[in-house]
Amino acid sequence: MRRENQNISNPDELNKILQKTNPIVWVILGIVLLVLVSLCVWAILTTLEVKVHGTANVTSQVASIQVNEEDVSKVKAGNKIYISDKEGVIASADNDGHFTSSVIQLADGEYDVYIVEKEIRPIAFLMGN
């Protein structure tokens, strides 16, 4: 039997040491590496949206949008909006919480709307931006 502080004297002893590594350790290491790579790819390719909710009254394909008082300062002209399954842009913004959108192909009526206040890439958190 070989002591721990002895040097390896032949290749057979090295093979015995290397064979003691359990294959499950390599599987776990591979899974951890796959998860880390997947998270990095997700962080680079994904965009998260910070949303403001409101209501839209559509008349002649122009939406008049209202949001809560605390959200008024978050909405600006040029922000993306989503009404039903349609995407548009805030065309004008008043200080009193009334906004109008670009032309949206929807029937006249009242709809729930969300406005994209800002978009964030998860990789920016890692990079410190």
Side-chain angles (χ1 to χ4, degrees):
M1 181 174 218
R2 187 176 83 75
R3 283 195 225 147
E4 292 298 323
N5 60 356
Q6 288 181 339
N7 292 332
I8 298 171
S9 60
N10 64 39
D12 290 332
E13 289 180 19
L14 180 61
N15 283 341
K16 288 180 185 176
I17 293 171
L18 291 177
Q19 287 175 352
K20 288 184 180 181
T21 305
N22 194 345
I24 194 71
V25 173
W26 292 108
V27 171
I28 292 171
L29 183 62
I31 290 170
V32 168
L33 186 62
L34 181 65
V35 168
L36 287 174
V37 168
S38 299
L39 282 173
C40 287
V41 169
W42 174 81
I44 292 169
L45 299 178
T46 301
T47 302
L48 303 174
E49 296 176 337
V50 178
K51 303 172 187 175
V52 174
H53 295 275
T55 58
N57 188 5
V58 177
T59 307
S60 302
Q61 298 180 352
V62 175
S64 176
I65 302 161
Q66 290 186 327
V67 297
N68 294 333
E69 287 181 30
E70 61 268 7
D71 294 331
V72 170
S73 62
K74 299 175 184 177
V75 180
K76 297 172 182 57
N79 288 25
K80 282 196 282 187
I81 61 168
Y82 294 95
I83 302 174
S84 189
D85 61 344
K86 308 290 185 189
E87 181 179 329
V89 177
I90 297 289
S92 67
D94 296 340
N95 291 334
D96 61 353
H98 292 84
F99 308 96
T100 57
S101 74
S102 57
V103 175
I104 296 181
Q105 302 293 327
L106 285 171
D108 290 356
E110 191 169 307
Y111 297 89
D112 288 329
V113 61
Y114 73 86
I115 303 163
V116 179
E117 176 190 345
K118 60 183 170 181
E119 295 178 337
I120 302 169
R121 288 203 173 275
I123 193 71
F125 291 115
L126 297 174
M127 304 306 283
N129 295 335

